[in-house]
């Protein structure tokens, strides 16, 4: 119903909750239990605390390059909450909220950004692929995951994430085209945060919306207010239902904003003005949902502060563990290219080991 | 004379050539407005306008493929791939078209373009940001592959690359982008492609290297020279076509060779160089040639990367074994 009523070619955007946390389209409200909604809110808050503290650690020289998610929490949590835990997820690198909601341990996530491959070794029941650094390539995997699911007679779907910049890549087009032709159970999420590093969305595509690109592939597309968790959830839920019931893939453009830097190596003040950022701060997805929850007596400011404090402590102690994880041992560098070390890898390993002990390291 | 680091020397060369030749166009991801993530193109859009220096869409195939079209139609594109690890979507265009257009059209269509990319490890980066992939280009007929190791060379080689009538892959060792400065003449000068530089002459051992490794090797040979060994140090500068004559002549004199690179060992550039030495100077050899290279592993993330790159101490130890064989 959402996809039909909000045609991206007409420039329509699905919004259910306004910037003050008020429901402006009661008729469109998705059915989310209070319990789930609080879980979603808490995950968004957790994500924000992680970002904030990690950025501090980075500035203190304790953390390597990090890609913050500030401002995109509703897009991430709202989409993943509409899937179930047996569904596959293929993400890029800026999907912290979705990873957390899926149960990715904070220790793993921080360890990854800390420069250790073990970070991406997630627990068996967390069906997310490792971070994909090459832009848009992961959507092809999402298409394959979904196709395999059908062939195996399972009804798990695959959700794939990409940024607005990523929609320029051949891989984006190829994945969507493959999925549409093969009628795979996919949901493709574009986190349109308006910038690919310094390049504005308007320089990335000449189309009025990214959602409308779906039409050319022969799949439904919709643009949603990415800072409105209800809109994000509602559209994703419909797309997931369609995918699971054999109706094929969909494209959802979450219209949102990256409040922070692209990564800690980037200085966004060089390419965007403060006024723009301030405007978007007013649409902060977390504030918005908090206001809504408080209005519904599901949350309080006191609880909020308490939760932030608890999360802060947890991030602190987890990060300290990460910091104490030390360097990666030599074996680790050799052991995961093949099931068994090849003779040549074994030779190189022994050589390095001998060298290391000769210099006493 | 200006005192510049590698990245500034590149900006300076681009500026000079864009002023001299209005066919030169510069583009890539974040290259225009921001001047590139490493600031190699900073100020060029302001000076030469958005038509000649622009932000491209995020698509390496589009950057390289459209560059090929521009080159065929009279422009000289100098494109930037943000990190060499992200050239793969564009690799198809490089290999299937840029490298072959001249041959395919029997010389009617040519691709005088430069594809610049930062490469190499040692900067504590994310996945795909640290590899040394020079061999993936060097193995492809029709491409030239250039790697500077100093600001002076970066300017002279880049100007030569832009003026070269064929596609040139210009690999920039990002570990030394800002590591040191050098005095550079303000005027125009080029360094011929395909010509190695003998950094220092020596009698006992030929050491061949390039890019960021040159500095580590210089550090490594210091103590060996103090011990009385005489080492000839060659910076290859161009990986394809490489300066076989200089290397073989050197080995004929010294009788020993070691090749040092960051790239993985197996099928790496050292294999080619040592094979050529075996073919051209086998009877002069007094010790088995040696490769001192990265591992045959994926470059580890930062917490394991120290295992990957040969450091000066390791290089020194390995060179010693060749000298004392
Ligand atoms: C194939 C490829 N090219 C270039 C890069 C370098 N790079 C990393 S992130 C990025 C911008 C991505 O923008 P977008 O897709 O909008 O996602 P966002 O970072 O805004 O979440 C670029 C160019 C890369 N990782 N992969």
């Amino acid at each position: 119903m959402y996809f039909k009523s909000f045609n991206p070619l007409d420039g329509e955007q699905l919004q259910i909750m306004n910037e003050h946390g008020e429901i402006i389209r009661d008729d469109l409200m998705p059915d989310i239990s209070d319990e789930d909604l609080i879980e979603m809110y808490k995950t968004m808050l957790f994500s924000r605390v992680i970002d904030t503290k990690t950025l501090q650690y980075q500035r203190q020289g304790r953390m390597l390059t990090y890609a913050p998610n500030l401002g995109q929490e509703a897009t991430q949590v709202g989409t993943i909450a509409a899937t179930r835990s047996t569904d596959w997820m293929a993400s890029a690198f800026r999907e912290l909220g979705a990873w957390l909601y899926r149960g990715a341990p904070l220790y793993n996530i921080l360890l990854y950004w800390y420069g250790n491959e073990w970070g991406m070794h997630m627990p068996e029941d967390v069906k997310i692929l490792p971070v994909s650094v090459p832009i848009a390539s992961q959507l092809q995997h999402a298409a394959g995951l979904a196709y395999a699911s059908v062939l195996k007679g399972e009804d798990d779907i695959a959700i794939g994430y990409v940024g607005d910049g990523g929609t320029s890549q051949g891989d984006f087009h190829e994945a969507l085209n493959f999925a549409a032709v093969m009628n795979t159970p996919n949901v493709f999420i574009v986190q349109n945060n308006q910038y690919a590093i310094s390049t504005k969305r308007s320089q990335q595509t000449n189309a009025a919306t990214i959602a409308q690109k779906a039409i050319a592939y022969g799949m439904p597309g919709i643009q949603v207010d990415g800072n409105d968790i209800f809109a994000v959830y509602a559209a994703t839920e419909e797309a997931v239902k369609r995918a699971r019931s054999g109706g094929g893939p969909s494209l959802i453009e979450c219209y949102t904003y990256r409040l922070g830097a692209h990564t800690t190596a980037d200085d966004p003040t060089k390419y965007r003005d403060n006024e723009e950022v301030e405007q978007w701060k007013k649409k902060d997805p977390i504030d918005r949902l908090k206001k809504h929850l408080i209005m519904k007596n599901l949350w309080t400011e006191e609880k909020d502060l308490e939760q932030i404090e608890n999360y802060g402590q947890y991030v602190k102690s987890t990060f300290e563990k990460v910091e104490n994880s030390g360097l990666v041992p030599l074996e680790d560098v050799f052991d995961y290219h093949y099931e068994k070390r090849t003779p040549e890898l074994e030779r190189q390993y022994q050589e390095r080991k001998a060298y290391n002990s000769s210099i006493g390291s | 004379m200006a005192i510049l680091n590698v990245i500034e020397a590149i900006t300076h060369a681009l500026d000079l050539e864009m002023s001299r030749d209005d066919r030169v166009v510069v583009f890539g991801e974040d290259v225009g407005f921001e001047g590139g993530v490493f600031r190699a193109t900073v100020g060029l859009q302001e000076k030469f306008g958005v038509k000649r220096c622009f932000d491209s869409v995020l698509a390496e195939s589009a950057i390289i493929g459209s560059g090929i079209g521009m080159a065929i139609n009279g422009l000289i594109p100098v494109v930037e791939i943000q990190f060499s690890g992200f050239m793969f979507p564009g690799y198809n265009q490089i290999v299937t078209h840029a490298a072959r257009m001249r041959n395919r059209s029997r010389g009617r269509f040519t691709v005088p373009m430069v594809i610049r990319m930062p490469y190499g490890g040692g900067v504590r980066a994310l996945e795909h940001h640290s590899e040394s992939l020079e061999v993936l280009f060097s193995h492809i007929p029709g491409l030239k592959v250039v790697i500077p190791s100093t600001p002076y060379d970066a300017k002279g080689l880049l100007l030569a690359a832009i003026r070269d009538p064929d596609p040139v892959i210009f690999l920039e060792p990002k570990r030394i982008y800002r590591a040191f400065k050098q005095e550079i003449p303000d005027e125009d000068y080029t360094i011929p492609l395909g010509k190695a530089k003998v950094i220092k002459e020596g009698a006992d051992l030929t050491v061949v290297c390039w890019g960021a490794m040159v500095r580590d090797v210089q550090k490594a040979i210091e103590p060996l020279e103090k011990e009385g060994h005489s080492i000839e140090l060659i910076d290859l500068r161009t990986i394809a076509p490489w300066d076989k004559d200089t290397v073989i002549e050197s080995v004929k004199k010294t009788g020993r060779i070691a090749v040092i690179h960051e790239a993985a060992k197996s099928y790496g550039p050292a294999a080619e160089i040592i094979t050529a030495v075996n073919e051209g100077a086998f009877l002069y050899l007094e010790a088995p040639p040696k490769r001192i290279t990265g591992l045959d592993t994926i470059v580890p993330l930062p917490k394991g990367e120290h295992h990957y790159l040969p450091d000066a101490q390791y290089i020194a130890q390995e060179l010693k074994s060749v000298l004392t064989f």
Side-chain angles (χ1 to χ4, degrees), chain A residues 44-68:
Chain A
M44 290 164 70
L45 206 57
F46 188 25
S47 167
R48 180 70 59 98
V49 173
I50 295 167
D51 273 334
T52 312
K53 291 201 74 80
T54 307
L55 286 167
Q56 274 168 15
Y57 297 142
Q58 207 280 336
R59 275 194 285 270
Q60 294 165 1
R62 296 161 67 188
M63 191 60 170
L64 300 169
T65 307
Y66 178 74

Side-chain angles (χ1 to χ4, degrees), chain B residues 264-315:
Chain B
K265 185 175 201 169
S266 296
Y267 298 96
E272 163 66 18
I273 294 163
I274 288 169
T275 303
V277 166
N278 281 334
E279 288 167 349
F282 187 72
L283 294 177
Y284 295 82
L285 287 172
E286 289 165 33
K290 182 135 220 153
R291 302 181 259 187
I292 305 167
T293 67
L295 302 169
D296 283 346
T297 68
I298 289 161
V299 183
L301 293 181
K303 292 298 160 195
E305 200 187 356
H306 58 289
H307 295 303
Y308 186 88
L309 286 179
D311 60 17
Q313 195 177 349
Y314 181 73
I315 295 167

